[in-house]
Amino acid sequence: MELGQMQKSLQDYTKSLFVEGILDSQFLQLPQLQDESNSDFVSQVVSLFFQDSDRILNDLSLSLDQKVVDFEKVDPYVHQLKGSSSSIGAQRVKNACVVFRSFCEQKNVEACHRCLQQVKQEYYLVKNRLETLFKLEQQIVASGGMISAMDLGF
Amino acid sequence: MASDGGVSCLRSSEMPNVGIGGMELPPLDEVHVLAVDDSLVDRIVIERLLRITSCKVTAVDSGWRALELLGLDNEKASVELQRLKVDMIITDYCMPGMTGYELLKKIKESSSFRQVPVVIMSSENVLTRIDRCLEEGAEDFLLKPVKLADVKRLRNCLTGDVKLSNGNKRKLPEDSVTVNASLPPPPALTTLSTDSSDSSSPPLSPVEVFSSPLSSREDDDDVLTSSPEGSPTPEESPVRRQKMGSPGLD
C-alpha cells in the first residue's frame, strides 16, 4: 500500500473511533503534550493506561468474587479506572465506570458483576482499537512517512 | 508551545537550590510546581501538562509525600535548606489516606507555605466540595480531566504575579487576568484556551472535532461532570474564580 493510502486509512480509522464514541475530545489533548523531547508521549501514556487498567480489572474481579463483597474496596477501584480512562479520553470505558459506581452505591452484587463485564468489554475494545491505531502509525513511519498531528485533525 | 525549561522528572525527587538570601528570583522557565495525585496515569499527564507550559515539576503520589518534601511532615521546625521551594501546588482531591482538602489545610496552616497557591483537581463537580476548598484558601479548582488550556491559564496567572527578570511587567494580584484577549471575565470559571479560535465555539461532534485543528470540549455524558449552569460554552466548573494570590517565592 502506498504512503498516501496508508495515511488516509489512518485518518479514517482515527475518525471512526470518535464517531463511535470510543474516544472523546480528551484524547485530542494528548498529542498536544507531545514534542521533540517527548516524541512518544501518546503511546507511552496509553501503554501506562493499559497496564494500570489490567491491574485494576484484575483486582476488581478478585474483589467481586469474594463471598462477601466489600464495596469499600470495590468502589475505589472503579473510581480509579473511571479517572484514568477519562484522562486519556476512553469515553465508553469511563461511562461504563459511572454506571458501575452507581450499582456499587446500591451494593448490588449481581448488577456489579454485569457492570464489570461491560467495563471489560469496553476496555478491550478501546485497547484493541488503539493498538491498531499505533500499528498503522508505525507502518507509516516505517515507510518513510510522517505522522503529523495536523493531518489527523488534531 | 513554550519550551520546557525544567529538568525534573517523575522519578527524581529533585531539590532545587533554595534562594538562601531570598534575593534571587527564578527566571521565567523556573516556576516550580508540586503535583500530587495518586493515579499514575493522571500524574504522568499533569506532569506533562505542566512541563510543556514551562514549569519544573515534582510529582508525588500522596499528600504525605508532599508534606515530607515540603518539610511539613513533623512538628519540628524545618531546616531552611531541606524544604522544597515551590511556586504552586496542584493536588487531586480524592486520594486515599490524606485527601487534597486535608493537604490544602495543612499547607495553609503552615507559616512557610501558606502563601503558595494551591489548586485542587477533581473529577467530581460537587459544589459543596468546591466551595469548601475555596473557603479553605484554594486558589482554583479544576475539573478533571485537566486540559492544556486549564494549565496554560494557571501558568499565565502565576507568571503575571511573579517578578521576572526579562522585563515582563509586574502585575498586582488584582490584575491576575492575563493579556490574552480570549479570556472572558470572571466570576465563572470556564475552560479557557489561550488560543482564541476555540474559546467560544459550540461543542463539536466528534467528526467535526476530528477535522478541525483544535479541539473543543464536548459536554460529557457523565452526570458527575455536567455543568449546572447549562451554558453552551463547555465549562470546567461553575465556581467563582478566586484570584491568584502572590505565590510564595520568599
Side-chain angles (χ1 to χ4, degrees), chain A residues 10-12 14-15 18-19 24-26 28-30 32-35 37-38 41 45 48-49 52 79-80 82-84 86-88 91 94-95 98 101 150 152-154, chain B residues 1 4 38-42 44-45 48-49 51-52 92 94 123-124 144-149 206-207 209-218 220-225:
Chain A
L10 174 63
Q11 197 169 356
D12 290 344
T14 313
K15 199 185 263 198
F18 289 94
V19 170
D24 63 27
S25 60
Q26 181 64 18
L28 298 176
Q29 289 285 312
L30 304 180
Q32 297 180 53
L33 305 182
Q34 192 163 282
D35 61 17
S37 65
N38 277 76
F41 176 71
V45 72
L48 210 61
F49 167 69
D52 208 41
H79 174 84
Q80 269 185 62
K82 172 180 164 266
S84 55
S86 162
S87 292
I88 65 144
Q91 183 174 243
K94 181 195 74 174
N95 290 341
V98 173
R101 285 193 88 193
M150 288 307 286
L152 299 175
F154 292 155
Chain B
M1 298 282 182
D4 184 353
D38 62 308
S39 156
L40 181 55
V41 171
D42 286 358
I44 299 284
V45 172
R48 203 57 210 129
L49 282 166
R51 291 192 68 196
I52 213 155
D92 189 26
C94 275
S123 57
E124 277 150 21
K144 281 182 160 183
V146 179
K147 296 177 159 20
L148 189 55
V207 177
V209 168
F210 183 73
S211 46
S212 69
L214 293 161
S215 69
S216 173
R217 174 105 196 264
E218 296 171 1
D220 285 349
D221 292 331
D222 186 351
V223 296
L224 294 173
T225 59

Side-chain angles (χ1 to χ4, degrees), chain A residues 11 52 63 70 89 96 107 120 123 133 152:
Chain A
Q11 197 169 356
D52 208 41
S63 301
D70 182 359
K107 301 205 195 309
K120 280 181 172 175
Y123 168 66
L133 184 81
L152 299 175

Side-chain angles (χ1 to χ4, degrees), chain A residues 4 18 21 27 35 64 67 81 88 93-94 97-98 108 120 136-137 141 148 150:
Chain A
F18 289 94
F27 185 77
D35 61 17
L64 281 179
K67 278 207 176 123
L81 186 56
I88 65 144
V93 176
K94 181 195 74 174
C97 288
V98 173
N108 184 334
K120 280 181 172 175
L136 286 172
E137 285 185 353
V141 172
S148 159
M150 288 307 286

